[in-house]
Amino acid sequence: MISNIEKLIRKYVLLNAIKHDGKPSVKAVIGKVIAENPELKKSIKEVLNKVEEICNVISKLSIEEQEEMLRKEFSEVLIEKRKREEERKLPPLPNADKYEEIRTRFAPNPDSVLHLGSARAIILSHDYARMYNGKFILRFEDTDPRLKRANLIFYNYIREDLRWLNCKWDEEYIQSDRLELYYKVARELIERGGGYVCTCPKDRFRELIASSKPCPCRNLSIGAHLDRWEKMLNGTYDEEEAVLRVKTDLHHPNPAVRDWPAMRIIDPEKHPHPRKGKRYRVWPLYNMAAIPCTSFPS
Ligand SMILES: [Zn+2]
């Protein structure tokens, strides 16, 4: 019986010592021993003496010797530990081997502080990137100065939270810094006939698209659309008077996807951007804004 108790104590002293630079904590060991065998509470004094005695002996050994001892005497503990660690690993991502690099992102709108749910998204994105030696990206989605207006203080709060969670990001993008890039892509889209500037009233457009009909703007010449695009940028059009749309299949089963809006006008006088001030009046909508960074030429 005594030797069993001694063995139990030795096991926890070794485990605790290895975890703490070779120096076991008497208190922590007692806690573990009593948790495993609550009966021992009755003879707590003897147990305490034994724990102190064994701690004394074990703490004189080097960590290598302690590890060796644990391996020899308690191999089952190590196997159990390894099993638990394996169970804790993230499940693999499907088709991960089909990609050259795994890139994950956390993309907050800096219009408020993060909440607890964000921590889950951050940790999963970060850990998956690490698991595949990929890249974890922090991307600030701050392209709606009207309804989801960013606030300067939150950019840093968010960075601080990521650091606090120990999730270091490899690349950072602030979407409002990339408007010129969006403009370039938008123009190219029009030039290739993949996008057009629609000036129809919203309701009229919705009616037509619901029955899979093109609006009158859709088939105007590319030149006409480039001209309209300029007018969006230079302030000829006001909010809601024009929107850049991406041409899709007009028979797409989901009407919301048909010729979806990509860029819209937000009056910079009424809604200046916290970082860009009144410099820009055309902003990407979510689907356009969230096209992966790597899809854009830099
Ligand atoms: Zn139209």
Side-chain angles (χ1 to χ4, degrees):
M1 183 66 188
I2 289 294
S3 72
N4 271 350
I5 292 166
E6 261 201 56
K7 206 173 167 197
L8 181 68
I9 295 173
R10 275 172 78 77
K11 178 173 84 173
Y12 284 115
V13 170
L14 282 168
L15 280 170
N16 191 268
I18 291 165
K19 212 165 140 193
H20 297 103
D21 273 340
K23 304 277 170 255
S25 143
V26 172
K27 226 169 135 187
V29 171
I30 297 263
K32 291 278 186 189
V33 169
I34 297 291
E36 187 162 328
N37 189 345
E39 280 289 299
L40 292 175
K41 258 193 220 161
K42 289 181 198 150
S43 41
I44 189 77
K45 247 196 171 147
E46 286 89 333
V47 174
L48 178 66
N49 288 340
K50 207 64 194 154
V51 170
E52 278 176 343
E53 186 192 315
I54 295 177
C55 276
N56 259 333
V57 176
I58 301 284
S59 61
K60 292 199 178 88
L61 304 175
S62 69
I63 289 210
E64 290 74 25
E65 286 167 328
Q66 292 170 350
E67 280 172 345
E68 182 59 27
M69 200 176 265
L70 187 70
R71 242 192 317 272
K72 267 192 188 153
E73 291 180 38
F74 305 100
S75 56
E76 78 282 356
V77 178
L78 289 176
I79 292 165
E80 186 59 29
K81 205 173 151 212
R82 211 167 301 141
K83 223 170 102 195
R84 273 205 308 274
E85 273 165 12
E86 266 164 30
E87 277 165 8
R88 269 211 304 268
K89 263 193 201 150
L90 289 169
L93 293 173
N95 300 324
D97 53 337
K98 297 204 172 104
Y99 297 89
E100 221 169 273
E101 188 177 49
I102 298 296
R103 293 169 70 83
T104 61
R105 99 288 184 269
F106 177 62
N109 185 325
D111 63 343
S112 70
V113 289
L114 299 181
H115 53 83
L116 203 55
S118 316
R120 185 172 185 270
I122 295 166
I123 292 168
L124 279 177
S125 303
H126 170 268
D127 288 5
Y128 267 121
R130 293 294 166 262
M131 179 168 153
Y132 288 102
N133 289 321
K135 294 268 161 35
F136 172 51
I137 293 159
L138 171 61
R139 187 180 76 220
F140 289 105
E141 292 190 345
D142 59 346
T143 53
D144 185 353
R146 187 168 48 199
L147 294 180
K148 297 182 84 183
R149 192 168 185 272
N151 187 317
L152 286 181
I153 56 166
F154 296 129
Y155 294 81
N156 260 335
Y157 283 177
I158 290 170
R159 290 186 188 106
E160 270 173 34
D161 284 347
L162 261 73
R163 283 189 205 107
W164 185 80
L165 285 168
N166 234 342
C167 292
K168 209 176 159 281
W169 57 106
D170 304 297
E171 293 171 23
E172 178 178 310
Y173 296 93
I174 301 180
Q175 286 181 329
S176 62
D177 280 348
R178 297 162 66 85
L179 277 233
E180 300 295 340
L181 209 50
Y182 287 111
Y183 291 176
K184 204 174 132 196
V185 171
R187 197 182 165 83
E188 205 183 309
L189 196 64
I190 299 169
E191 283 169 347
R192 290 192 190 185
Y196 65 98
V197 177
C198 173
T199 57
C200 300
K202 249 190 205 164
D203 292 347
R204 178 67 187 136
F205 179 84
R206 232 175 261 150
E207 252 173 56
L208 289 165
I209 211 75
S211 44
S212 297
K213 289 195 186 103
C215 80
C217 320
R218 201 181 202 257
N219 293 321
L220 296 176
S221 69
I222 287 175
H225 285 304
L226 285 172
D227 188 48
R228 284 182 170 193
W229 172 242
E230 277 314 309
K231 286 179 176 160
M232 276 181 78
L233 294 173
N234 71 19
T236 309
Y237 292 127
D238 223 334
E239 279 188 8
E240 312 266 310
E241 284 182 357
V243 62
L244 174 72
R245 295 186 176 281
V246 171
K247 277 189 194 169
T248 67
D249 177 3
L250 289 180
H251 295 276
H252 192 284
N254 178 0
V257 173
R258 295 176 196 158
D259 284 15
W260 52 271
M263 307 281 287
R264 44 77 191 276
I265 298 165
I266 295 178
D267 186 343
E269 294 299 326
K270 281 192 242 161
H271 308 284
H273 190 276
R275 296 182 73 250
K276 301 293 162 184
K278 298 175 181 173
R279 194 159 147 206
Y280 296 111
R281 55 182 292 108
V282 176
W283 292 89
L285 278 131
Y286 184 76
N287 284 343
M288 179 74 168
I291 290 173
C293 318
T294 45
S295 318
F296 285 145
S298 46

